[in-house]
């Protein structure tokens, strides 16, 4: 049996830019919002704080859930996700971001963090790609986005 994984991701804006985790692998550069899995007996707020500090070296105030996405690796034509991964991702507003240290535990293939101008999002290898218009316009009119890339 493969357990369902739940993760939390920070949506952090500054002016007309968004904070992204920058990764490099055989596809080249690709980007995601910082965050990761909620551990056993860890609250969503604790995971938000821990993941943000680990991946960005920063702290922020956790705001509202903006949207939820579901990822089922077995339904995708990709070799980049763990086999049998089924994950629910909670994308949460990150308010008042402050850099306090260097990233403490970046993810595999993560090479840094970047404040990406919003107008560059459509041209990036960014996940979830289907959320680019909502992220650019800062409009989240549907909470549950379903199974998307």
């Amino acid at each position: 049996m493969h357990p369902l994984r739940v993760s939390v991701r920070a949506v952090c804006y500054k002016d007309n830019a968004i904070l992204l985790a920058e990764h490099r692998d055989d596809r080249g550069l690709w980007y995601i919002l910082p965050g990761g899995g909620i551990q056993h007996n860890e609250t969503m707020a604790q995971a938000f704080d821990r993941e943000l500090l680990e991946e960005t070296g920063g702290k922020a105030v956790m705001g509202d859930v903006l949207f939820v996405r579901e990822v089922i690796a077995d339904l995708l034509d990709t070799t980049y996700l763990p086999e049998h991964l089924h994950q629910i991702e909670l994308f949460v507003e990150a308010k008042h971001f402050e850099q306090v240290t260097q990233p403490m535990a970046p993810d595999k293939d993560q090479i840094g963090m970047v404040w990406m101008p919003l107008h560059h999002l459509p041209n990036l290898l960014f996940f979830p790609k289907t959320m680019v218009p909502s992220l650019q316009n800062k409009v989240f009119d549907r909470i549950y986005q379903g199974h998307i890339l």
Side-chain angles (χ1 to χ4, degrees), residues 65-85:
V65 173
L66 299 174
F67 66 96
V68 176
R69 125 178 141 136
E70 187 169 14
V71 179
I72 303 172
D74 294 350
L75 299 180
L76 299 172
D77 294 328
T78 181
T79 58
Y80 292 100
L81 294 172
E83 188 177 29
H84 307 303
L85 173 74

Side-chain angles (χ1 to χ4, degrees), residues 48-95:
F48 174 89
D49 290 342
R50 177 183 52 77
E51 286 288 344
L52 204 55
L53 192 61
E54 285 178 359
E55 293 184 9
T56 71
K59 292 184 178 185
V61 175
M62 187 175 99
D64 291 333
V65 173
L66 299 174
F67 66 96
V68 176
R69 125 178 141 136
E70 187 169 14
V71 179
I72 303 172
D74 294 350
L75 299 180
L76 299 172
D77 294 328
T78 181
T79 58
Y80 292 100
L81 294 172
E83 188 177 29
H84 307 303
L85 173 74
H86 186 183
Q87 180 166 276
I88 303 294
E89 294 183 320
L90 308 166
F91 290 78
V92 178
E93 181 181 18
K95 302 177 187 178

Side-chain angles (χ1 to χ4, degrees), residues 134-146:
S134 293
L135 290 165
Q136 279 187 297
N137 298 315
K138 303 178 187 178
V139 175
F140 306 96
D141 52 359
R142 284 186 27 227
I143 300 263
Y144 177 66
Q145 294 293 325

Side-chain angles (χ1 to χ4, degrees), residues 6-136:
V6 179
S7 71
V8 61
R9 298 205 170 275
V11 180
C12 185
Y13 292 106
K14 179 173 75 173
D15 301 321
N16 286 318
I18 190 167
L19 185 63
L20 301 180
E22 185 174 50
H23 296 258
R24 182 189 307 275
D25 62 17
D26 62 340
R27 296 173 286 186
L29 292 175
W30 56 276
Y31 301 86
I32 58 174
L33 294 162
I38 300 172
Q39 298 174 356
H40 182 71
N41 286 333
E42 182 178 49
T43 68
M44 187 169 120
Q46 289 169 330
F48 174 89
D49 290 342
R50 177 183 52 77
E51 286 288 344
L52 204 55
L53 192 61
E54 285 178 359
E55 293 184 9
T56 71
K59 292 184 178 185
V61 175
M62 187 175 99
D64 291 333
V65 173
L66 299 174
F67 66 96
V68 176
R69 125 178 141 136
E70 187 169 14
V71 179
I72 303 172
D74 294 350
L75 299 180
L76 299 172
D77 294 328
T78 181
T79 58
Y80 292 100
L81 294 172
E83 188 177 29
H84 307 303
L85 173 74
H86 186 183
Q87 180 166 276
I88 303 294
E89 294 183 320
L90 308 166
F91 290 78
V92 178
E93 181 181 18
K95 302 177 187 178
H96 313 295
F97 179 84
E98 175 186 0
Q99 190 78 38
V100 294
T101 185
Q102 293 298 314
M104 300 171 61
D107 283 346
K108 177 185 178 292
D109 298 324
Q110 183 180 343
I111 60 171
M113 298 301 302
V114 61
W115 285 101
M116 184 64 66
L118 291 172
H119 68 273
H120 287 309
L121 279 178
N123 304 319
L124 302 176
L125 182 54
F126 171 80
F127 303 102
K129 188 73 163 178
T130 57
M131 290 307 297
V132 166
S134 293
L135 290 165
Q136 279 187 297

